[in-house]
Amino acid sequence: MFKGNLGDIIRQAQQLGETLKERQAELARRTVDVSVGGEMVRMTFNGKCEALSIHIDPEVVDRSDVRMLEDLVLSAVNEGVRRSQQMMQEEMAKLTGGLNIPGVTS
């Protein structure tokens, strides 16, 4: 039988929810930088996995090898999304004590 104070548990859950929202907003403002191809393509992403900037070294722009540039850009995007997600998951795990809360850590 449940012997805890349900009101206290609900308040604690609400506080955790607010703290999680604040932390997610803070992480959305943080950035991760990635580079591929010996820094031929550099990108910056925020904690929401959004690309904020891209820099392509003019030396890599070769009309006869567009495929290489496409591959570099795709690689940078995938790495940036991966690192952004990893940053968010690590920070949320610290806050939730490692609990997997759907919609929070994924």
Side-chain angles (χ1 to χ4, degrees):
M1 180 172 198
F2 181 70
K3 297 187 183 214
N5 182 333
L6 185 57
D8 287 343
I9 293 172
I10 291 172
R11 276 190 292 284
Q12 289 175 352
Q14 288 171 335
Q15 287 175 331
L16 177 59
E18 288 301 314
T19 302
L20 287 171
K21 285 180 188 176
E22 291 170 7
R23 183 64 58 91
Q24 286 174 323
E26 173 189 322
L27 286 170
R29 292 186 296 271
R30 289 179 53 188
T31 61
V32 293
D33 296 312
V34 298
S35 65
V36 296
E39 298 204 9
M40 287 190 263
V41 175
R42 297 188 312 265
M43 295 186 75
T44 300
F45 291 79
N46 66 16
K48 293 172 28 177
C49 298
E50 297 170 333
L52 301 176
S53 69
I54 184 168
H55 172 79
I56 299 173
D57 187 324
E59 303 252 340
V60 75
V61 180
D62 179 355
R63 295 181 82 166
S64 66
D65 196 4
V66 173
R67 184 70 179 159
M68 181 184 71
L69 179 57
E70 291 171 342
D71 289 344
L72 288 171
V73 170
L74 282 175
S75 180
V77 168
N78 289 332
E79 180 66 11
V81 168
R82 186 191 66 74
R83 286 190 193 176
S84 178
Q85 289 173 337
Q86 180 181 5
M87 176 181 67
M88 181 69 82
Q89 289 171 350
E90 288 172 358
E91 291 301 315
M92 289 295 109
K94 289 177 191 175
L95 188 62
T96 63
L99 294 176
N100 185 12
I101 301 172
V104 172
T105 57
S106 58

